Amino acid sequence: RPRRRCNRSFPRGSDHPLGVNVETGHVIRPFAADDAPAVIGVWHRSGRAAYQYLPTWQALTLERAGEVFRAVIEPRCNIWVGTRQGDVVAFLALVGCYIDRMYVDPAEWCKGWGTAFILLAQRLRPGGLELHTHQENHAARALYEKHGFTAVKFGVSPPPEGAPVVEYHWRPETR
């Protein structure tokens, strides 16, 4: 399967108040409760498309994704959504300095959302960030490394997934 490589930066346009440059009609804003169905849809579609090598993701139903989002992700994460023309197309979920989730709808891959969310997270958590991703998620790994994240540990995700993962850290440069 070919790797996705995205070398494009986020589209330039008006300056977003959070310091993330976005194209007209593209907005990154805090999550609102009525965003939940759209965020769940993005998470489900993106996970199934990105993790074709993970049977647990391929078996995950939209209904179960909604249950997990409402019971686990929404209550404990600070969530930001990316919208295009008012439609939610991406999201970032932070727990302190930990990037818990970052998903982009497959139709929006390689359009700069990942870079925009990483830049936002770095502005929100200037002391540093941490995250885990699957070792086979080459596009995500390339994105994180492009933005200064360093792989610090390799391991395996907990059951039932049990897939190889890599832990990344980003620390601001000391001058």
Side-chain angles (χ1 to χ4, degrees), residues 9-119:
S9 349
F10 200 78
R12 298 285 174 183
S14 61
D15 283 333
H16 188 274
L18 296 171
V20 178
N21 289 323
V22 294
E23 185 176 290
T24 303
H26 289 70
V27 175
I28 294 177
R29 61 170 174 75
F31 172 84
D34 60 350
D35 293 326
V39 169
I40 293 163
V42 166
W43 182 42
H44 186 253
R45 285 187 301 278
S46 181
R48 287 181 54 92
Y51 305 136
Q52 293 181 13
Y53 51 88
L54 292 174
T56 52
W57 257 103
Q58 298 312 304
L60 182 68
T61 65
L62 182 60
E63 180 181 29
R64 180 68 183 135
E67 292 167 0
V68 171
F69 180 84
R70 288 183 182 94
V72 178
I73 300 168
E74 187 177 6
R76 70 182 177 94
C77 294
N78 182 5
I79 303 170
W80 297 83
V81 296
T83 65
R84 181 185 40 76
Q85 304 299 327
D87 296 325
V88 173
V89 297
F91 78 98
L92 167 71
L94 293 170
V95 177
C97 67
Y98 187 75
I99 296 178
D100 189 68
R101 321 269 168 175
M102 186 172 73
Y103 286 86
V104 177
D105 197 276
E108 295 290 318
W109 285 354
C110 297
K111 294 183 181 178
W113 290 107
T115 290
F117 277 125
I118 291 296
L119 294 175

Side-chain angles (χ1 to χ4, degrees), residues 2-13:
R3 295 181 190 174
R4 270 186 341 270
R5 289 279 188 212
C6 304
N7 295 320
R8 297 167 32 180
S9 349
F10 200 78
R12 298 285 174 183

